[in-house]
Amino acid sequence: MTIQGQSLKSQKEEKRIRMIQAAYELFSEKGVYKTSIDDIAKSAGVAKGTFYLYFADKTEIWEAVVVDISNRILTQAKKELERKSLPDMIERMFVADFIIEHFKKNLDDLKIVQRNFSWPLVLRKMNEAQDNTLLQMLEQCFCSPYLSRYTIEEAYRMMFLIVEMVGSICYTSILLEQPAPIDQMKPVLFHTIRKILI
C-alpha cells in the first residue's frame, strides 16, 4: 500500500472512531432511542451521508459501541487475569466479578450495552475485526480440567450460558435492583456458575 493509501485508510478509520465516540457520548447523555443519526453525524463533525458510508443505520453503530465497550472490559479483565495468575478455572471466574464491578462503576456503559454484553454479537464483531481477546480467554477456559469431559461445542455452550447470565443479571440487578441489588445477587450468581462448571 502506498503512503497516500495508508493516509486515506487512517483518515477513514479516524472518522469511524469519531462517530463511535460521538455515539457513545450521545447514547450516554440522551439514551440510544432518543439519539438520531443526525445527532451523531453533527457531533462527530461529519455529513449525514458520510455516516452511511460507515454504518447502515443506528443499530449498526450501536452494535459498534457495544463491541467497543465489551472489548475494553474483556481486555482489562484478561490483563487482570494474567496479572493474578489464577491456576484454577473456578478461581478464574473472578472475571464475572470484574465485569460486574465495572458495570457498577460505569452505569453509562451498562445503560448503552443494556442486556447485550452478549456473546454472539461480541464474538462475531471481534472475529470480523480479527481481535482475539475473547478467543484467547475461551481457549484458556477450554484447557481447564473442569471442561475436559465436554466436547468443544458443549464447553462453548456452557460458557455462552455463563456470559449471557452475567450480562442479564448485571442489567436487572444493577439498574433495576431486581430481584435484588447486585451485591445480594453475586453470591447466588457465583454459586450457580460453580454448579454449572463442577
Side-chain angles (χ1 to χ4, degrees):
M1 184 180 290
T2 65
I3 293 173
Q4 185 179 9
Q6 288 175 340
S7 176
L8 188 60
K9 186 176 179 183
S10 66
Q11 286 174 2
K12 283 183 160 186
E13 185 59 21
E14 189 252 323
K15 277 184 189 173
R16 184 178 184 281
I17 290 167
R18 270 199 344 251
M19 285 186 278
I20 290 171
Q21 288 171 338
Y24 174 85
E25 289 166 16
L26 289 163
F27 292 162
S28 298
E29 181 186 320
K30 298 170 68 169
V32 175
Y33 300 106
K34 292 183 180 176
T35 299
S36 70
I37 290 171
D38 283 332
D39 295 333
I40 296 167
K42 185 177 177 184
S43 180
V46 300
K48 187 174 178 180
T50 302
F51 175 92
Y52 288 107
L53 294 174
Y54 294 84
F55 303 100
D57 52 25
K58 189 168 69 170
T59 298
E60 197 169 292
I61 196 167
W62 170 76
E63 286 182 353
V65 172
V66 169
V67 169
D68 190 59
I69 291 168
S70 302
N71 194 21
R72 186 167 23 93
I73 295 168
L74 289 170
T75 299
Q76 291 167 355
K78 183 173 178 285
K79 284 180 186 169
E80 190 65 14
L81 186 64
E82 288 165 354
R83 189 184 69 75
K84 289 190 176 209
S85 300
L86 299 172
D88 187 280
M89 184 177 172
I90 299 298
E91 291 174 27
R92 287 181 188 177
M93 282 296 109
F94 98 91
V95 169
D97 190 50
F98 185 94
I99 293 166
I100 290 167
E101 290 303 314
H102 174 89
F103 283 135
K104 277 174 61 179
K105 293 176 200 150
N106 300 278
L107 292 180
D108 284 343
D109 284 359
L110 183 55
K111 287 174 186 171
I112 292 169
V113 169
Q114 299 168 8
R115 296 172 195 265
N116 296 290
F117 188 77
S118 181
W119 185 292
L121 171 63
V122 174
L123 189 59
R124 177 172 48 88
K125 292 291 184 180
M126 284 182 166
N127 281 339
E128 287 171 11
Q130 297 178 345
D131 183 323
N132 60 6
T133 303
L134 183 56
L135 294 175
Q136 288 172 2
M137 292 176 81
L138 288 175
E139 284 172 10
Q140 289 175 350
C141 291
F142 292 154
C143 293
S144 163
Y146 292 103
L147 296 182
S148 63
R149 64 184 185 262
Y150 300 106
T151 66
I152 293 291
E153 291 81 17
E154 290 168 335
Y156 176 87
R157 288 183 199 121
M158 205 175 308
M159 298 308 292
F160 172 92
L161 176 69
I162 291 168
V163 170
E164 292 292 318
M165 187 169 52
V166 170
S168 185
I169 292 294
C170 280
Y171 186 82
T172 55
S173 291
I174 294 173
L175 291 181
L176 309 175
E177 295 196 341
Q178 294 296 324
I182 191 64
D183 289 329
Q184 292 174 24
M185 288 301 297
K186 279 200 315 190
V188 177
L189 178 63
F190 297 153
H191 176 74
T192 304
I193 291 171
R194 283 183 173 84
K195 287 281 193 185
I196 290 169
L197 291 172
I198 295 177

